[in-house]
Amino acid sequence: MLELNNQYTLIKRKVQTEVLKQFFDDTLTQDADKIPFTIIPKDRIPTRCCIYKERAMIRYRIMALLGINIEEYDDEMKPLTEYVKEVLAKDTPPLPILTTISTACSSCPPDRYLISDACRGCFARPCLANCPKDCISFLNGQAHIQEDRCIRCGKCKEVCPFHAVVHIPVPCEEACPVNAIKKNEAGYVEIDYKNCISCGRCAMSCPFGAIVERSGLLPVVKMLKAGDDVTAMIAPSIEGQFPGTLGQIKQALLVSGFTRVIEVSQGAEVTSDHEAEELTRKKENHEGYMTTSCCPAYMEIVDKHLPFLATKRSTARTPMGYTAEISKKNFPESKTIFIGPCLAKKVEGARSADVDGVITYSELASLFMAKGVDVRELEAADLGDTSTFEDCRGFAVTTGVASCVVSRLKEDLEIQTMPINGVDKKMFRMMKVWEKRPPEVDLIEVMCCEGGCINGPGTIVKPSVALKLRGGNNAATPVKSMRDPLKMMEKK
């Protein structure tokens, strides 16, 4: 995955902030087409071939921010102002969540292995000895790979004592755990939406910004500007994303126009209670393992790729679902907006009658910047719930869900738990094996993002920074009898 601190992230934030400033200043419907020129002035030294392409990229990023499906509705002759008017006239959440900008795609060549100048032509030649296809040859004392025979197994890279073998991947294809990324006939990236789980790994990994999120931010700020009753539902992982306390973040949301703030940790308690009851029942009835149901990308994996797991996942709603349900019960006229680190939550939110919108921390940061809100400068809001859901704030990190569920077991049961700390290609293949070789555990916690939600595609700081800022909430309580999934499979 790309380091969060990079030029693409800075430009993306700049675009979001400028669009929001114009929106709140009532100039967006007249001046949207000026934004590419504001961000890319004529005296700028371009990173791409020319400033005209860079301005075109800004235009596409504005379209994505407006929620436009660029593949289907890219009309180069249509002004951005017309797109803005159309988007402001409707409140339909954008699905699918991801879209591609073919002009930004670099048409990366297929992934391959190359021998670098670090090769010493050693006598042992383990690359030659371990290659299953005999595609290693030596010329003038240095190794070479015959690409027409190479199967990209990586054995040569694993055994080279000088680390002379370099793997050159296609970042987006390598990142996708379910092979939903492909190239079209022109060599540009395409997303197979039938297989896509909306995890956002491809968007995070592409160094050209060719895969982007279709934002649902504008309908949300439209509610705020209109003075609607809007409830901000903040995910547990929000703590550590901004340089301020949880109370200050809540105050920043109130200052930005939200009517009230509810912690999704409240819904996490309900989820944990349901999963604890379900786990107890399955354990007593010897029904085998149960998986958690909190990660929406994992739910997409089950629905689209691993249907045999449908009976294994918990029937509990996600913390977002229960929190929205609680909010609608207490404030029936209020709009519920989930704020979190996840793109797949936008899919879940679009399918839920209780959720009126979903935005990420990255989008929230742009809202703060557009409104001139500095979290650090605000007095902390005391909403009376800051310490209420302490244990369930651990949902933000790996093992946090399992810890919370196990802590709520009403009976003295010996529970074997197993964390899935990020779903990549290797882990996805392992999960397929469960159909014939089920893991010998009771509870499997599935987090599609490595490290948990604090490493989601909508976060704004590195997980290490977030953990540091979270202070006492930087880790979940360790669960007894935690099993390593990869080691378990190796033993079998």
Side-chain angles (χ1 to χ4, degrees):
M1 296 298 171
L2 281 179
E3 164 63 52
L4 284 171
N5 184 22
N6 60 63
Q7 181 169 278
Y8 169 61
T9 301
L10 296 176
I11 286 289
K12 178 181 176 183
R13 186 73 43 76
K14 207 169 184 179
V15 169
Q16 291 175 338
T17 303
E18 188 62 32
V19 168
L20 291 182
K21 281 182 178 179
Q22 286 201 10
F23 172 76
F24 287 116
D25 290 341
D26 294 319
T27 60
L28 187 61
T29 52
Q30 293 85 35
D31 296 337
D33 290 286
K34 297 178 182 178
I35 296 177
F37 298 87
T38 301
I39 295 178
I40 309 294
K42 62 182 180 181
D43 58 348
R44 172 187 167 95
I45 300 175
T47 302
R48 299 179 187 270
C49 61
C50 60
I51 62 170
Y52 305 107
K53 183 168 184 178
E54 292 205 340
R55 286 171 178 169
M57 293 304 101
I58 298 299
R59 180 180 186 276
Y60 285 125
R61 304 206 189 289
I62 294 172
M63 290 174 63
L65 177 58
L66 296 175
I68 306 298
N69 188 333
I70 296 173
E71 295 108 310
E72 293 187 18
Y73 300 106
D74 177 20
D75 182 352
E76 294 182 344
M77 301 299 292
K78 186 174 182 177
L80 285 172
T81 51
E82 293 300 314
Y83 282 117
V84 171
K85 291 173 185 176
E86 291 177 4
V87 171
L88 291 178
K90 61 182 181 180
D91 296 319
T92 307
L95 286 178
I97 290 301
L98 296 170
T99 186
T100 61
I101 304 174
S102 60
T103 312
C105 180
S106 183
S107 301
C108 301
D111 76 294
R112 60 198 188 278
Y113 286 84
L114 297 177
I115 309 292
S116 72
D117 291 340
C119 176
R120 303 288 295 167
C122 63
F123 176 74
R125 298 187 174 180
C127 56
L128 178 64
N130 287 276
C131 179
K133 292 297 180 179
D134 296 324
C135 65
I136 303 289
S137 60
F138 280 79
L139 181 65
N140 297 325
Q142 282 206 324
H144 295 271
I145 297 175
Q146 295 174 243
E147 291 201 28
D148 58 332
R149 303 185 64 175
C150 179
I151 60 172
R152 299 171 179 83
C153 65
K155 292 289 185 183
C156 54
K157 186 177 187 296
E158 292 175 10
V159 298
C160 178
F162 296 102
H163 304 287
V165 184
V166 180
H167 179 218
I168 304 178
V170 179
C172 58
E173 292 180 4
E174 183 184 46
C176 180
V178 294
N179 296 320
I181 302 294
K182 59 183 180 180
K183 300 283 182 62
N184 60 22
E185 294 179 355
Y188 298 126
V189 65
E190 284 188 348
I191 300 173
D192 181 354
Y193 294 109
K194 296 190 301 296
N195 290 324
C196 177
I197 59 173
S198 302
C199 65
R201 295 173 71 100
C202 56
M204 290 177 72
S205 65
C206 178
F208 298 97
I211 304 175
V212 291
E213 160 199 355
R214 293 174 62 197
S215 177
L217 181 58
L218 218 58
V220 174
V221 295
K222 180 182 171 184
M223 299 174 197
L224 299 179
K225 187 177 180 182
D228 294 345
D229 187 306
V230 185
T231 299
M233 305 184 298
I234 55 174
S237 54
I238 197 170
E239 194 173 12
Q241 290 297 312
F242 298 91
T245 66
L246 184 57
Q248 287 177 304
I249 295 172
K250 291 178 180 179
Q251 183 62 31
L253 286 162
L254 296 175
V255 170
S256 298
F258 289 93
T259 310
R260 68 188 60 83
V261 182
I262 299 178
E263 285 194 52
V264 176
S265 299
Q266 183 176 357
E269 284 195 329
V270 184
T271 298
S272 299
D273 289 337
H274 277 269
E275 292 196 346
E277 292 176 7
E278 198 170 359
L279 178 60
T280 299
R281 185 173 65 252
K282 285 181 175 289
K283 178 74 172 178
E284 292 175 343
N285 295 335
H286 307 286
E287 297 179 23
Y289 66 93
M290 181 185 86
T291 71
T292 55
S293 60
C294 300
C295 177
Y298 165 64
M299 302 295 270
E300 290 286 285
I301 287 177
V302 175
D303 292 339
K304 293 184 176 183
H305 300 277
L306 306 176
F308 73 91
L309 285 174
T311 59
K312 294 296 184 180
R313 66 185 173 191
S314 170
T315 58
R317 294 187 72 180
T318 66
M320 178 182 82
Y322 284 123
T323 304
E325 186 180 308
I326 293 168
S327 179
K328 289 294 186 182
K329 181 180 179 180
N330 295 331
F331 313 102
E333 301 303 317
S334 182
K335 301 291 186 181
T336 51
I337 306 300
F338 175 81
I339 303 173
C342 183
L343 297 192
K345 278 292 181 189
K346 297 194 174 194
V347 177
E348 180 189 343
R351 295 171 179 168
S352 172
D354 295 327
V355 180
D356 297 300
V358 176
I359 63 174
T360 64
Y361 300 142
S362 175
E363 292 170 324
L364 178 61
S366 298
L367 174 59
F368 286 164
M369 292 172 67
K371 285 275 193 175
V373 175
D374 188 338
V375 178
R376 296 168 298 183
E377 299 297 322
L378 299 175
E379 291 290 333
D382 183 10
L383 305 182
D385 62 352
T386 303
S387 61
T388 307
F389 318 112
E390 194 73 32
D391 59 339
C392 285
R393 292 196 184 110
F395 266 55
V397 296
T398 296
T399 76
V401 178
S403 297
C404 207
V405 171
V406 172
S407 71
R408 281 165 164 69
L409 294 174
K410 297 178 181 179
E411 300 183 25
D412 186 17
L413 298 174
E414 184 65 33
I415 299 296
Q416 294 273 2
T417 62
M418 183 174 75
I420 301 301
N421 184 25
V423 178
D424 55 13
K425 292 181 185 295
K426 185 176 182 180
M427 185 59 69
F428 179 65
R429 290 194 298 268
M430 189 204 79
M431 293 168 71
K432 283 184 176 181
V433 175
W434 293 351
E435 185 171 16
K436 295 182 178 179
R437 288 190 288 166
E440 298 173 359
V441 296
D442 303 301
L443 177 64
I444 301 177
E445 176 198 276
V446 184
M447 296 271 196
C448 279
C449 295
E450 185 177 349
C453 301
I454 59 171
N455 194 28
T459 56
I460 55 179
V461 299
K462 295 187 294 185
S464 58
V465 175
L467 289 173
K468 184 177 180 180
L469 292 173
R470 286 172 68 85
N473 297 315
N474 62 349
T477 304
V479 180
K480 293 181 180 180
S481 303
M482 188 70 74
R483 308 288 293 276
D484 185 305
L486 294 179
K487 288 185 179 179
M488 286 180 65
M489 299 310 296
E490 288 172 1
K491 290 179 181 178
K492 290 188 175 184

